[in-house]
Amino acid sequence: SSSRTVVLQGCAGIGKTAVVHKFMFDWAAGVVTPGRFDYLIYINCREISHIANISAADLIADTFEDINGPVLDIILTYPEKLLFILDGFPELQYSVGEQEEDLNANPQEKKPVETLLCSFVRKKLFPESSLLITARPTAMKKLHSLLKQPIQVEILWFTEAEKRAYFLSQFSGANAAMRVFYGLRENEGLDIMSSLPIVSWMICSVLQSQGDGDRALMRSLQTMTDVYLFYFSKCLKTLTGISIWKGQSCLWGLCSLAAEGLRNKRVQFEVNDLRRHGVGVFDTNCIFLNHFLEKVERGVNVYTFLHFSFQEFLTAVFYALKNDNSWMFLDQVGKTWQEIFQQYGKGFSSLMIQFLFGLLHKGSGKTVEATFGRKISPRLREELLKWTETEIKDKTSRLQLEQIDLFHCLYEIQEEGYAKRIMDDLQSIILLQPTYTKMDLLAMSYCVKSSHNNLSVSLKCQHLLGFEDEFYFCEHLIISLCITFELYKDVKDLEFVKNTLEDSGMKLLCEGLKQPNSVLHKLSFLPESSEAVCKYLASVLMCNSNLTELDLSENPLGDTGVKYLCEGLRHSNCKVEKLDLSTCSLTDASCVELSSFLQMNQTLKELFVFANALGDTGVQHLCEGLRHAKGIVENLVLSECSLSATCCEPLAQVLSSTRSLTRLLLINNKIEDLGLKLLCEGLKQPHCQLKDLALWTCHLTGACCQDLCNALYTNEHLRDLDLSDNALGDEGMQVLCEGLKHPCCKLQTLWLAECHLTDVCCGALASVLNRNENLTLLDLSGNDFRDLGVQMLCDALIHPIC
């Protein structure tokens, strides 16, 4: 690809760093990108985050310790042969736009770490070089605003086959591996969580040396916090020759070390750091500590946590067990809980905050005390709830809130009363991230079921991760959401946009929507639906009388698909009020089916069919249906439908015969003056109730303005008229102004952008403003007005009637 930036995105523990290391090994072996790069510069963003100032040259020199001046100069001379790997890109603390002027292009200049990383991503530094970036979803929002044409790659969860293979590789016997593997399936939450490689690793690490009793306990784990607590508690039981108290003391020391490091953006610690926190030098060689720490490569007695999430978990434990009277860190004395929550700057997306919620789960208290030797602070529960409610109600915070992060926090605590108290402050669930996982859906469904409020759910996603196929995803979604329909009848809107559902998944989803307990009102999706999907949807329409909005826009349904769909639309149980079939590859053949539907349906109010090649014949069929309709169609959108003047006579008959139609959009059709003349005959009829007419880019000239003027003499209903991008000219405008000044004209909004107008018509327009007290919006952009014309308009604007 021509793009030189690749982003690997994935949640904590999914294997981003492992993928990067595998790539580096394969590059060194000549397996990948042979000859493409001379040097790979690996940068662990977390390891450098605590440094005040650093230069790009420093980073390169640190990577290759044996490289000095001349060789470094050669490397910097050919940047196109460099690949910089930014592993663990941070969630930026400042606004990207404000820092643009601080970015630098000089590799020798020292800058703050975040500024330096942004300079790489913005291609200010080494613009010819390539970038491989790994990041958690929480960092992606600001990272996207920095990137230029990235290739984004999702790091997928274990598939069932991969997970099975992993378990087989971790146990000495296949029987033992399969007992654990199939045991996971007895607990849906744990089965889903174990698709994360870090979770499978923890489970296997513990169970390789533990008995069947622990396998039974494992099956009771419900949350990520449960899994991490299970791991740490079981590691404590591996102690030999050291007292439990000593092990607890060691773990508590690790908690304070983790917290201090996270606060100071440090992930590497020297022996002196460990000793300050009560982890003795002799302990570093202890097998017990090998469960949590590892030596840094090339570091002399420098240690880091086995996984960054371990540091986040232990930090959460530290704050959950804090004693207000004796702080480990002097600078924390007197800080309120609110300040502690805020200092991490990520709100609910912080894994540390999610672990804090999980530690408050009522079943965790005894395990925490037995493992770390201390009790959870009794004040934490209410303080965390108070902070959560404040964040939700604060408008600034709410704009930045990703609801799925909040759902994960509420899922971790596993208290429906707690979740209900928070969920009752939400009115809608809008999930806008590009990807969602099984774990996301599990957390969402748990929270939705805890709420008694009326909720709408909008799920806009491109990918659904961790599912072997869409069938399994839909099965999970139906279980989670349709149960909610039955219990609370509260989820009324469900929106799938740009997702990966295929026929099998849609079939199962439709089965759920046919159930009598479904109260879904609005369904919209963009899954590249096929004709088969239209059959499934038709069966839903026959059964589900609650569904009132169906959005199938931008799906290549074709005429056959619409034929199947109309079988459901014509059914007496169908109560659809809004139907969107825009950009669906329809022709005039679809209009025959839609016409028969319109003649039978009594509920449809809005029909969108724009950007389909219906042609005049197709619209004639539609008009036949509309004229004989029992229904009440109010809004008809026919923009970009390859129409000419020929279709305007049947449209005029609809205008004159139905009192329901109030909005007609014909944008970007070759209507021409003759077509408008025919439409105006309909506008002049007493039954015409049209309020909004859009004729933008319809190949009109000034010759049509007399017909429009005549219509305005008699039509008292028209409120919004769009004539933009038509060559009306000054003479046409002067004629139209006569109609605009008539007492019958009640027009409020007039769009005349790019209509070839000059100062010549400004006198006529000014006279309209002086006499028409209904007109409140006039768009004249893109016309050739000069000072004189503008002065005339301004004089009219200050008139008391205007």
Side-chain angles (χ1 to χ4, degrees), residues 132-425:
L132 176 59
I133 304 171
T134 76
R136 289 183 180 181
T138 52
M140 290 305 298
K141 187 177 289 186
K142 286 187 177 177
L143 181 55
H144 265 303
S145 62
L146 288 167
L147 291 167
K148 294 182 178 179
Q149 297 181 323
I151 299 172
Q152 187 169 323
V153 181
E154 301 291 342
I155 303 296
L156 298 178
W157 295 38
F158 273 156
T159 63
E160 283 298 293
E162 289 168 339
K163 185 163 62 175
R164 179 190 178 105
Y166 180 76
F167 274 75
L168 285 169
S169 72
Q170 295 298 302
F171 288 86
S172 56
N175 288 340
M178 287 300 95
R179 274 204 306 275
V180 177
F181 177 75
Y182 287 113
L184 296 174
R185 296 188 174 181
E186 297 176 26
N187 177 340
E188 183 191 25
L190 183 60
D191 191 31
I192 289 173
M193 287 186 290
S194 63
S195 295
L196 268 179
I198 187 68
V199 173
S200 280
W201 176 83
M202 283 190 281
I203 289 171
C204 291
S205 296
V206 169
L207 296 184
Q208 281 169 351
S209 57
Q210 307 286 332
D212 289 335
D214 287 318
R215 293 194 182 98
L217 176 61
M218 176 197 73
R219 290 193 285 271
S220 68
L221 306 179
Q222 294 177 287
T223 67
M224 289 290 284
T225 310
D226 287 346
V227 172
Y228 279 74
L229 195 52
F230 175 71
Y231 176 80
F232 278 82
S233 66
K234 292 306 169 188
C235 287
L236 187 65
K237 292 187 177 180
T238 65
L239 279 173
T240 54
I242 302 176
S243 68
I244 289 292
W245 177 86
K246 177 68 175 174
Q248 290 175 335
S249 175
C250 184
L251 282 177
W252 176 248
L254 290 176
C255 287
S256 59
L257 176 73
E260 183 183 65
L262 199 60
R263 200 173 80 259
N264 296 326
K265 299 183 178 179
R266 288 187 61 197
V267 296
Q268 294 185 349
F269 309 96
E270 296 179 359
V271 170
N272 287 340
D273 298 316
L274 273 66
R275 187 182 293 118
R276 274 191 305 108
H277 292 275
V279 182
V281 178
F282 64 89
D283 291 332
T284 58
N285 296 317
C286 172
I287 294 175
F288 176 57
L289 273 180
N290 292 340
H291 294 301
F292 321 115
L293 295 176
E294 65 179 350
K295 266 195 174 184
V296 176
E297 286 184 26
R298 297 187 288 114
V300 180
N301 289 332
V302 178
Y303 296 85
T304 188
F305 286 96
L306 279 179
H307 194 267
F308 185 55
S309 62
F310 278 20
Q311 187 170 347
E312 294 168 298
F313 173 74
L314 289 171
T315 300
V317 172
F318 176 80
Y319 285 118
L321 306 184
K322 88 180 186 77
N323 183 331
D324 293 323
N325 299 320
S326 58
W327 269 104
M328 184 64 70
F329 314 135
L330 289 176
D331 65 337
Q332 298 285 67
V333 174
K335 277 198 172 182
T336 65
W337 279 105
Q338 313 298 315
E339 290 169 323
I340 292 168
F341 299 146
Q342 286 298 134
Q343 76 181 7
Y344 287 91
K346 301 179 188 175
F348 304 109
S349 66
S350 164
L351 193 56
M352 192 280 288
I353 293 291
Q354 291 180 18
F355 282 138
L356 261 185
F357 274 88
L359 290 168
L360 289 175
H361 178 26
K362 287 178 180 175
S364 301
K366 289 183 179 179
T367 309
V368 170
E369 187 175 355
T371 306
F372 297 95
R374 297 168 184 242
K375 290 185 177 181
I376 292 175
S377 170
R379 290 181 48 216
L380 176 60
R381 181 179 302 273
E382 195 57 36
E383 290 286 350
L384 195 55
L385 178 60
K386 188 194 306 179
W387 174 73
T388 301
E389 291 181 318
T390 302
E391 287 290 292
I392 289 175
K393 290 172 183 175
D394 181 83
K395 287 185 178 178
T396 306
S397 298
R398 195 165 188 165
L399 287 174
Q400 299 174 347
L401 172 67
E402 290 285 356
Q403 290 179 332
I404 198 69
D405 296 327
L406 173 62
F407 297 158
H408 280 293
C409 289
L410 297 178
Y411 179 79
E412 287 294 313
I413 198 171
Q414 287 289 304
E415 287 185 28
E416 288 195 7
Y418 202 120
K420 179 187 180 302
R421 184 168 163 183
I422 299 302
M423 290 295 294
D424 282 351
D425 289 330

Side-chain angles (χ1 to χ4, degrees), residues 541-542 545 567-575 600-601 603:
L541 295 171
M542 293 176 185
S545 58
E567 291 176 10
L569 290 168
R570 284 192 292 263
H571 197 276
S572 58
N573 279 343
C574 177
K575 298 293 185 287
M600 301 178 68
N601 184 274
T603 60

